[in-house]
Amino acid sequence: MFALVDCNNFYASCERVFQPKLKNKPIVVLSNNDGCVIARSNEAKKLGIPMGAAAFEYKEIFEKENINVFSSNYALYGDMSSRVMELLSEFSPEIELYSIDEAFLKFEGFEKFFDLNEHGKKIQYRVTKGTGIPVSVGIANTKALSKVANKIAKKFPEKTESVYVINTEYKRIKALKWLPVADVWGIGYRHAQKLEKLGVKTAYDFTQLSEDWVKKNMSIVGLRLLKELQGIPCLDLEMPSDKKNIACTRSFDKNYSDFEVVKERVVTFAVTCAEKLRKQKSCANAIMVFIITNGHRKDLPQYARNYLLKLPFPTNSNIELAKFASYALRKIYKQGYAYKKAGVIVTDFTPQNVQQVNLFQNSNEKHKGLMEMMDNINKSIGRTKVKLASQDPDRTWKMRQEKLSPRYTTKISEAIKVKA
DNA sequence: TCTGGGGTCCTAGGACCC
DNA sequence: TCTGGGGTCCTAGGACCC
């Protein structure tokens, strides 16, 4: 059996843990640069704030409805996530951390010894009590069905007490008939459109399709999903593995046209990629740089390009990746456009320690020690204390974060003070 | 004025090999 | 009339997730 444990409105709930007065009050959390809504409490959902709403368009509604607005605080959410996951690990040695706010637990043979519903309640109680984050638990014999069960637990918190188990054929069918096909895990916008046109309205309708049709139209991925929903397990827990791509991309606080400004950003993104590469002990063999103008500004000329550069040798050096990134940028940068966003993506990794030596050109050996030194300094006295000269030493780029909450759990000076 | 960021997997088709 | 057969690797694009 699989349990899917999902934190309710995770980012909003994190904020609420440290401001209990916000209980039952509407909360929204904004994306980077305070751009758009990426998380909502139930109360905010009820007020009709859609996911992805542009903050500036909803400003008046936020004020009128007394909605509590927060900038996203990833230091806080990341730390709260690890606390939740740690508690969940107590319940099964087999656990998959699926996302920042979700985990699959696998129970082998548990159903013989435990009442699964009771067990789900224990999990739910333990996490909520231990972290203040409310969670919902869905349990079934396949991952896809545990996702369905979780939706039910979330949708009917009173009736289910936030725990739902699908363990009979009757419950499986009832659940699938209730769930719209568009809300099935693994069926996105495109497939949902296609299916609905064919009269496939619910998850149950989907399970009645022929394997051939599903395979042909939705590939092997769709076929696995079909079986999973029919109660035949095809997906197991996935173990953590090294990343195959690493990206650093950002929207700017405003539009920039000056090459030097954009280059400084791109170099900094490349350095971030290099740091992430070193963390997993990989080197990249290719780097892609992209730039794009503001697509919302129909009145301005639009331009978007990317450039994929195959590297002459694998590297994870800040200096080398920065150099390659600015070379790639030069290839695509065009004067006269107002750029709003840029990014660097590194791909095609090889392990750091098994390097094939190139006959003509290789990564500078000296960089290895240098990077180690830079990482250590930045780790001990603060990120970005040591930079490349091509990164702006004076200007510190700041995201717009007007409603940022304190780092309650990761910065001692920002912890809550309790008076005796 | 202002609209996020970071990932994964699969498939078809082209290039190339013997 | 009639022009083989069987592979691999790579890449772009599409689909999905949170």
Side-chain angles (χ1 to χ4, degrees):
Chain A
M1 298 296 278
F2 293 95
L4 176 68
V5 186
D6 190 325
C7 301
N8 301 345
N9 316 318
F10 183 54
Y11 297 171
S13 298
C14 287
E15 299 292 349
R16 186 130 69 190
V17 168
F18 297 91
Q19 290 199 47
K21 63 176 184 196
L22 298 182
K23 200 172 172 189
N24 301 320
K25 299 277 193 318
I27 298 173
V28 298
V29 179
L30 304 180
S31 64
N32 279 353
N33 280 320
D34 293 346
C36 58
V37 174
I38 55 166
R40 305 156 296 158
S41 70
N42 286 341
E43 298 77 12
K45 287 177 189 169
K46 265 183 210 135
L47 287 168
I49 312 296
M51 188 67 165
F56 73 93
E57 284 176 357
Y58 277 80
K59 207 169 168 217
E60 277 148 41
I61 297 180
F62 291 162
E63 277 164 23
K64 198 178 118 219
E65 303 285 357
N66 283 317
I67 296 177
N68 298 275
V69 181
F70 291 91
S71 305
S72 36
N73 183 345
Y74 288 105
L76 178 64
Y77 310 151
D79 183 66
M80 291 304 283
S81 174
S82 12
R83 288 162 193 259
V84 169
M85 299 306 174
E86 202 179 315
L87 293 177
L88 289 179
S89 314
E90 296 174 1
F91 291 88
S92 173
E94 294 189 87
I95 177 169
E96 172 187 342
L97 311 187
Y98 181 66
S99 74
I100 192 162
D101 73 331
E102 273 175 77
F104 286 102
L105 302 177
K106 192 171 172 185
F107 302 131
E108 219 133 4
F110 269 45
E111 63 273 21
K112 288 181 206 130
F113 308 103
F114 291 101
D115 177 298
L116 287 171
N117 195 56
E118 285 302 309
H119 204 60
K121 295 242 161 69
K122 266 189 208 156
I123 296 174
Q124 195 252 350
Y125 179 79
R126 178 81 175 114
V127 175
T128 307
K129 178 94 179 164
T131 64
I133 304 284
V135 299
S136 302
V137 183
I139 301 178
N141 75 322
T142 71
K143 281 173 111 179
L145 284 173
S146 73
K147 271 271 187 187
V148 176
N150 188 283
K151 288 233 177 208
I152 295 172
K154 246 194 197 145
K155 189 80 180 186
F156 307 102
E158 276 100 33
K159 228 169 153 180
T160 63
E161 294 178 55
S162 300
V163 177
Y164 193 72
V165 184
I166 296 177
N167 52 356
T168 66
E169 195 54 9
Y170 172 77
K171 280 170 135 184
R172 184 181 72 86
I173 300 211
K174 194 171 152 201
L176 293 183
K177 286 191 171 168
W178 166 81
L179 187 66
V181 74
D183 294 347
V184 173
W185 181 49
I187 295 183
Y189 178 77
R190 287 297 162 94
H191 285 323
Q193 295 286 305
K194 199 172 185 180
L195 289 164
E196 276 159 18
K197 246 179 228 159
L198 285 166
V200 176
K201 299 228 156 42
T202 65
Y204 178 79
D205 298 339
F206 176 68
T207 59
Q208 300 309 108
L209 293 170
S210 83
E211 289 185 13
D212 282 350
W213 189 92
V214 172
K215 171 94 201 289
K216 202 171 149 210
N217 291 278
M218 301 172 68
S219 88
I220 189 76
V221 182
L223 185 56
R224 277 200 288 256
L225 179 62
L226 179 78
K227 299 232 180 208
E228 283 255 318
L229 291 175
Q230 290 170 340
I232 304 162
C234 296
L235 304 171
D236 206 344
L237 292 192
E238 282 178 33
M239 293 307 125
S241 56
D242 282 350
K243 301 249 176 295
K244 295 172 178 169
N245 303 291
I246 287 174
C248 181
T249 72
R250 287 289 177 281
S251 296
F252 305 144
D253 54 343
K254 53 180 193 179
N255 297 335
Y256 289 98
S257 299
D258 182 30
F259 176 78
E260 288 304 320
V261 176
V262 178
K263 191 189 98 175
E264 192 281 338
R265 289 289 72 203
V266 164
V267 162
T268 299
F269 299 159
V271 166
T272 300
C273 286
E275 285 166 354
K276 292 184 187 178
L277 277 168
R278 293 198 293 277
K279 228 175 240 169
Q280 71 164 40
K281 300 193 189 319
S282 296
C283 287
N285 288 279
I287 186 169
M288 181 201 265
V289 174
F290 73 82
I291 44 174
I292 184 167
T293 51
N294 187 342
H296 296 284
R297 292 288 299 272
K298 304 291 182 210
D299 54 320
L300 296 178
Q302 297 294 315
Y303 180 79
R305 287 287 183 282
N306 63 68
Y307 190 86
L308 176 69
L309 178 63
K310 303 236 168 205
L311 305 184
F313 48 82
T315 176
N316 60 14
S317 148
N318 286 7
I319 298 169
E320 285 162 349
L321 285 172
K323 223 179 330 183
F324 290 129
S326 45
Y327 172 86
L329 175 65
R330 248 174 247 284
K331 290 279 187 191
I332 51 176
Y333 176 85
K334 243 202 201 149
Q335 204 118 43
Y337 290 100
Y339 296 101
K340 177 61 181 169
K341 181 175 177 173
V344 173
I345 304 166
V346 286
T347 60
D348 191 7
F349 299 161
T350 43
Q352 186 174 265
N353 45 7
V354 282
Q355 298 272 312
Q356 209 172 108
V357 179
N358 188 302
L359 188 53
F360 303 107
Q361 209 179 358
N362 287 294
S363 182
N364 188 332
E365 271 297 311
K366 288 182 184 162
H367 288 186
K368 229 164 138 192
L370 182 59
M371 290 307 125
E372 214 170 290
M373 192 65 79
M374 283 180 76
D375 287 340
N376 285 338
I377 294 172
N378 285 335
K379 206 166 132 192
S380 60
I381 62 168
R383 274 200 82 219
T384 71
K385 278 285 187 282
V386 188
K387 292 187 187 178
L388 301 186
S390 49
Q391 298 177 261
D392 196 322
D394 304 319
R395 172 148 193 195
T396 40
W397 287 79
K398 277 245 160 65
M399 270 189 285
R400 203 167 49 210
Q401 290 183 311
E402 286 169 5
K403 315 272 190 181
L404 188 61
S405 51
R407 291 165 287 179
Y408 301 105
T409 61
T410 52
K411 186 91 181 163
I412 191 67
S413 57
E414 296 178 17
I416 286 181
K417 293 188 183 78
V418 179
K419 285 186 185 149

